[in-house]
Amino acid sequence: MQSKVEPGWRFWLLMVLFGGGAALSLGVALLFLLLGLAMTTPLLALPAGSAVSFLNIAFTSGLVGVVMLLGLSSLLRTPPPPAAVAAASRRRLALASLAMILWLPLVGLFRIVETSPLAWLFLPPLVVIGAAIPAWWLVEIARRGLDVLPRGRGWQILSTSLALTIPLTLVLSLVMLAVFVVVLGVYLNTQPQLLADLQQFFEQFDPAQMDMQQLEALANQVLSNPVIVALLISLVAGVTPMLEELLKPLALWLYAGDRLTPAQGFVGGALCGAAFGLWENLSALAGAGEGSGVLILVARVGSLLLHTTATAVLGWGLASFWAQRRYLGRLIGAYLLAVGLHAFWNLFGVLSAVPVTPQLPLISRLPASPETFNPLWLALPGMALLNLFLLVGLNRRLQVETRRMMAAAVSGDNSPAPTDDTFIKQENWKCRKTSV
């Protein structure tokens, strides 16, 4: 008879984290739901967009609360039979792909609903569904043929990322931004003319009557200053990617003692990155309701792909190092690759958005006037294809390695070649032995 294993520190930590996070998220969801519904009444005479924003936040917080409840449930229930896990896993990618096909007409519906008088009623659930479907699809691409995580571990990783990684990242990002503002302020004090022009612009700034020529002239003046450009690039394409890529796989560290396989680290990292990207997208869509939400919904899929791929690569590197210390070079290379992907994505995103081209080597030589084609417009789609190629390519490589590992695990006896069910059963037993 098997001896009962007492829950360890990780179990109680996750219980508190998921329970408290679910209660807080659902409480915030209820509060913003009531405030949003109150804003729809004619008595308050508030703009319709205010109610939509509050309801968007309510649905987003509700989604986070539900995910944490699922993570909490996975801690308490017994893993299902391996056959059930394998049978369910074979349907996931097909269902996610079907949902992604349906996502395309949903984008058109999003555009119609966003500008309708009933946006407050239909847009919030569309925001959550429209942001969640691509995240689900990318996760299923990452774990295609890699059912290596014990059942329920995925919900635990997602919940930990939402409850711990994202708040910590937000706090440290605010600290980093405060330092940047202080450094920028110190430098502007040495540039009295530029400081006076900035003060005059913001004193006369009126969003309702924005002068694009004046804005472009100011941007040209700012971006022609090499020190300011260097500070902006160091923040957007330097410190930010380094910090975020360091923190995004934080949930995996809770399982470092389990000696995760590289495939487990890859799938777990993809879940961490998808959770981070989903939260970013939902935050960006919180203000949807003014007609620009559909553009954000579509454009942010690329950012979601970036976060999923970069953290999956880093998770693979971390698990490889935890399993065998000789893979330190793989870990360092995976981190540098993740930071590089993130840095170039942010850099090209900023360069594609600003109205003028900053004075940088090579980039300043590209045609950037409105009448000509700007090659920078191809940078982000090209980066997205690169990320997808890396995600699919590493998945295929790990499928081969996982099959080889399963075969090697039984090569010393006369047992039949292991199936996916056998491997899942081994992983579930390992999870129960080590305790959550």
Side-chain angles (χ1 to χ4, degrees), residues 211-256:
D211 187 348
M212 292 302 300
Q213 292 184 345
Q214 183 183 8
L215 178 61
E216 183 172 340
L218 181 65
N220 197 8
Q221 182 181 2
V222 170
L223 295 178
S224 63
N225 187 305
V227 175
I228 294 180
V229 170
L231 286 173
L232 289 173
I233 290 179
S234 66
L235 175 67
V236 173
V239 181
T240 297
M242 293 175 64
L243 175 66
E244 290 187 357
E245 297 307 328
L246 191 65
L247 295 176
K248 280 191 296 182
L250 185 61
L252 292 182
W253 284 87
L254 294 177
Y255 306 96

Side-chain angles (χ1 to χ4, degrees), residues 233-353:
I233 290 179
S234 66
L235 175 67
V236 173
V239 181
T240 297
M242 293 175 64
L243 175 66
E244 290 187 357
E245 297 307 328
L246 191 65
L247 295 176
K248 280 191 296 182
L250 185 61
L252 292 182
W253 284 87
L254 294 177
Y255 306 96
D258 293 358
R259 297 183 67 84
L260 302 176
T261 65
Q264 289 174 321
F266 175 79
V267 174
L271 287 164
C272 292
F276 190 91
L278 176 61
W279 175 259
E280 272 197 352
N281 292 0
L282 289 171
S283 300
L285 288 166
E290 308 254 337
S292 61
V294 67
L295 180 61
I296 298 174
L297 178 67
V298 175
R300 294 294 304 183
V301 174
S303 298
L304 179 64
L305 174 58
L306 163 75
H307 289 303
T308 304
T309 301
T311 317
V313 170
L314 184 52
W316 166 73
L318 282 169
S320 299
F321 176 70
W322 291 334
Q324 299 186 43
R325 301 300 182 188
R326 64 187 178 92
Y327 284 128
L328 177 60
R330 178 182 290 186
L331 171 59
I332 296 174
Y335 177 70
L336 293 178
L337 177 58
V339 171
L341 291 172
H342 198 161
F344 279 107
W345 180 270
N346 285 0
L347 177 62
F348 289 134
V350 170
L351 293 178
S352 300

Side-chain angles (χ1 to χ4, degrees), residues 381-430:
M383 288 291 297
L385 289 175
L386 175 61
N387 286 322
L388 185 59
F389 174 80
L390 286 172
L391 189 67
V392 174
L394 194 50
N395 168 274
R396 290 183 176 178
R397 170 180 171 176
L398 289 171
Q399 286 187 54
V400 174
E401 290 184 358
T402 300
R403 294 190 191 100
R404 187 182 301 125
M405 180 181 64
M406 290 191 295
V410 295
S411 60
D413 55 32
N414 296 323
S415 303
T419 62
D420 289 343
D421 291 355
T422 306
F423 187 65
I424 295 169
K425 185 176 181 180
Q426 293 171 352
E427 293 301 320
N428 281 334
W429 172 240
K430 182 195 299 183

Side-chain angles (χ1 to χ4, degrees), residues 144-196:
R144 182 176 66 91
L146 295 176
D147 293 302
V148 291
L149 291 180
R151 183 67 178 267
R153 180 64 57 82
W155 290 115
Q156 296 169 27
I157 292 175
L158 287 173
S159 301
T160 304
S161 296
L162 292 171
L164 184 62
T165 305
I166 290 172
L168 181 61
T169 303
L170 289 175
V171 170
L172 293 180
S173 296
L174 288 175
V175 172
M176 178 183 64
L177 183 61
V179 172
F180 172 79
V181 170
V182 170
V183 173
L184 181 61
V186 170
Y187 174 73
L188 287 177
N189 281 328
T190 66
Q191 304 291 318
Q193 183 59 48
L194 179 58
L195 181 61

